[in-house]
Amino acid sequence: MSNNTEFKIHNSNELVTKFRSLIKESNINFQLSDELLMCFIQARKCDLHRAMKLLNNYFKAMKNYPELLTDLRLERVKHVLVSNHFLLSPLRDQHGHRLAIFNSLNWDIRVCSLDDMLRTAVFCFQRLVSEQETRSNGVVLIMDFKGFTFHHFTHVTPSFAKKVADFVQDVLPIRLKGIHVIHEPQVVKFLVAMIWPFLTNKIRNRLVFHGSCFKTLHHHVKPSCLPSNYDGWLGTLDSMNFSRVLFEKEHANIFECFN
């Protein structure tokens, strides 16, 4: 074992010990694993007080939105996943980020409601940050709005837009390194205008619109990890079903204690 690895392990143990001391002073009574605690610690770059605030936010959200954060099992989101609305590249990008894709094509909102979509996003993000490398390097999200219509937009309320912003920024222990919007129709401008007031400057600065210009997307994400639908070198979007990419590798879910 290298000196650097030994230092990282020692440092992680020390961080977790100090974090547990902060948790003892709170009203959190769950048995939380060291790995889960590191998830919150790393999401806030080892700032334990910010990590504590994030953990408290997570538990408040569990109380306020139990339908989104408790009993979050595959059976509850399978109908969304099989529709290929949440996809995952089998390869990380040039910076080691996980590359997740939201795909609105063929979205029947009668079958997959907005809450179904948000619940599935939480489910997917939980599994992504169960990976050590993803906790360290973060996630890049591509939002493909092909097929998104005014009918979809009419179901989005300001309160739902705020809930999405809150979850992404202040609840989920995930480092979102970039959001790339493609194939956006005109109606997406109204969607962005609705959620914009609830976004931090950091997230606003990481939001990039590409339309159908994949060359600009390639400036941020190398084609070697993109599907052929985006002029990438990999297979089609259909080959990147989230469950097929992640579950076949039998990744653990460190959030299982909440189920």
Side-chain angles (χ1 to χ4, degrees):
M1 184 181 294
S2 69
N3 290 335
N4 285 340
T5 303
E6 289 178 353
F7 175 78
K8 287 180 180 178
I9 293 174
H10 175 74
N11 195 39
S12 297
N13 290 338
E14 186 178 343
L15 284 169
V16 168
T17 299
K18 291 180 178 179
F19 197 33
R20 287 194 183 280
S21 296
L22 290 177
I23 293 172
K24 284 182 180 179
E25 300 172 6
S26 70
N27 295 320
I28 297 174
N29 296 317
F30 273 78
Q31 293 294 321
L32 307 176
S33 68
D34 288 357
E35 192 176 11
L36 181 56
L37 295 184
M38 278 304 299
C39 187
F40 286 88
I41 292 170
Q42 288 180 287
R44 289 299 181 261
K45 298 182 178 179
C46 299
D47 184 325
L48 296 183
H49 291 285
R50 291 178 63 221
M52 191 67 226
K53 182 178 179 180
L54 182 63
L55 184 61
N56 280 324
N57 288 346
Y58 192 94
F59 277 95
K60 287 178 184 176
M62 282 180 58
K63 181 179 179 181
N64 294 332
Y65 308 108
E67 72 282 3
L68 297 177
L69 287 171
T70 59
D71 194 28
L72 198 55
R73 303 180 188 278
L74 176 61
E75 293 75 18
R76 298 190 66 199
V77 300
K78 190 173 183 179
H79 66 295
V80 180
L81 292 176
V82 297
S83 300
N84 278 350
H85 293 309
F86 289 88
L87 306 161
L88 188 67
S89 173
L91 300 180
R92 296 177 183 273
D93 73 4
Q94 66 274 21
H95 303 294
H97 306 139
R98 264 297 191 185
L99 184 61
I101 301 170
F102 165 73
N103 174 29
S104 66
L105 189 64
N106 299 322
W107 177 11
D108 187 341
I109 204 161
R110 297 168 300 180
V111 177
C112 302
S113 68
L114 287 174
D115 275 344
D116 286 336
M117 289 296 203
L118 182 53
R119 183 183 301 110
T120 306
V122 173
F123 176 91
C124 292
F125 281 141
Q126 282 186 353
R127 275 143 185 81
L128 289 178
V129 297
S130 292
E131 303 176 302
Q132 168 58 39
E133 191 173 354
T134 302
R135 290 199 295 274
S136 298
N137 297 335
V139 175
V140 166
L141 177 63
I142 293 177
M143 302 195 71
D144 187 342
F145 279 102
K146 181 180 285 187
F148 187 86
T149 66
F150 187 76
H151 176 68
H152 293 108
F153 172 73
T154 57
H155 287 77
V156 183
T157 62
S159 61
F160 183 82
K162 184 179 186 303
K163 182 162 61 174
V164 171
D166 288 345
F167 265 70
V168 170
Q169 298 171 151
D170 300 317
V171 174
L172 296 176
I174 193 162
R175 298 178 66 189
L176 196 56
K177 308 300 287 186
I179 305 172
H180 298 279
V181 180
I182 62 173
H183 291 143
E184 65 273 23
Q186 286 291 105
V187 69
V188 170
K189 291 183 178 179
F190 299 112
L191 184 65
V192 173
M194 186 183 293
I195 198 171
W196 193 260
F198 308 121
L199 298 179
T200 62
N201 286 332
K202 180 164 69 173
I203 292 296
R204 289 176 182 178
N205 292 333
R206 292 180 179 177
L207 190 59
V208 185
F209 297 87
H210 301 280
S212 298
C213 182
F214 300 133
K215 287 185 178 179
T216 61
L217 176 62
H218 294 172
H219 289 319
H220 299 270
V221 183
K222 297 297 183 185
S224 57
C225 59
L226 288 171
S228 57
N229 307 66
Y230 308 152
D231 291 345
W233 300 354
L234 299 181
T236 64
L237 282 171
D238 290 340
S239 69
M240 296 185 178
N241 180 278
F242 189 94
S243 299
R244 191 178 304 138
V245 173
L246 211 59
F247 292 115
E248 283 187 357
K249 296 182 179 180
E250 298 182 351
H251 284 286
N253 175 20
I254 60 178
F255 292 81
E256 189 66 31
C257 59
F258 298 133
N259 291 335

